[in-house]
Amino acid sequence: MSKEEKLVYFRWKDGSQSKENLEVYEEAPDDEDKVLLSIRVGEEQISFKSENFFDALKQLRQHLEERHIQIKCNGAALNVYPSPMALSMGAGRLAYRLTFGRQAKTSDLVDIFECDNDLTFVSIDEQLNFYKSWLKSLG
C-alpha cells in the first residue's frame, strides 16, 4: 500500500483559492482491488474508493461541487477525458486531452492529478457533455 501525495488547488465559492494535499493510493488499505483518494476539506477528512482513479476523482468532485468548491487538476478540465482502454490500463490515472475533430493520440495523455494551468476547469456535467460532443465531432 504505497501512498503518493499530489498538490491540487481548490477554488472556493467566495473566489479564493487554496493548495491542498491529495493522498493517492493505488491500493486502498482495506481493499487491494480498489484505488483510494483522500483529502482534507476544511475540518473534514474525506475519502473515495473506486475501481479506477478517474471514477474516484468524479466522486470527490461531486462531493466538492455540492459544496460549491472547484478542484483544479487535469481530471477536472473541460477537454480531458479517459478512453475505456485508458480506464482499464494504469488504474485510470491517465486521460486524453481532446481536440474537436481529431482522434486522441498517445501524445495527448495527461496525468489526471497534475494541473496544466492553460486548461478550463468545469463541473462533471460540463466535462461529460464536452466528451459526448467530441465523440460526435469524429464523425
Side-chain angles (χ1 to χ4, degrees), residues 61-62 65 78 122-131:
R61 290 172 65 197
Q62 182 65 47
E65 285 180 20
L78 178 67
V122 297
S123 71
I124 295 167
D125 288 341
E126 289 171 303
Q127 184 185 43
L128 181 58
N129 288 338
F130 181 94
Y131 176 68

Side-chain angles (χ1 to χ4, degrees), residues 9 26 38 40 48 76 94-95 109 118 125:
Y9 297 86
E26 287 205 22
S38 184
R40 181 166 292 286
F48 297 95
L94 299 176
L109 285 170
D118 63 330
D125 288 341

Side-chain angles (χ1 to χ4, degrees), residues 52-53 82-96 106 109:
N52 63 68
F53 285 120
S83 69
M85 186 167 51
L87 286 177
S88 65
M89 297 177 1
R93 179 79 184 250
L94 299 176
Y96 289 98
T106 305
L109 285 170

Side-chain angles (χ1 to χ4, degrees), residues 7-89:
L7 189 63
V8 295
Y9 297 86
F10 283 177
R11 184 173 52 230
W12 299 84
K13 62 182 166 185
D14 66 3
S16 65
Q17 293 193 50
S18 64
K19 295 178 187 177
E20 308 296 335
N21 272 329
L22 176 66
E23 297 175 351
V24 178
Y25 297 83
E26 287 205 22
E27 293 179 359
D30 61 344
D31 187 348
E32 66 185 31
D33 293 329
K34 303 224 183 213
V35 300
L36 173 73
L37 300 180
S38 184
I39 195 165
R40 181 166 292 286
V41 179
E43 298 300 314
E44 179 185 25
Q45 185 74 29
I46 56 173
S47 300
F48 297 95
K49 280 191 289 193
S50 186
E51 302 292 323
N52 63 68
F53 285 120
F54 191 77
D55 287 341
L57 179 60
K58 276 194 340 194
Q59 291 174 42
L60 170 61
R61 290 172 65 197
Q62 182 65 47
H63 180 87
L64 295 172
E65 285 180 20
E66 290 168 3
R67 288 150 184 79
H68 307 286
I69 304 167
Q70 171 69 57
I71 189 169
K72 295 173 68 175
C73 64
N74 291 344
L78 178 67
N79 65 326
V80 173
Y81 211 84
S83 69
M85 186 167 51
L87 286 177
S88 65
M89 297 177 1

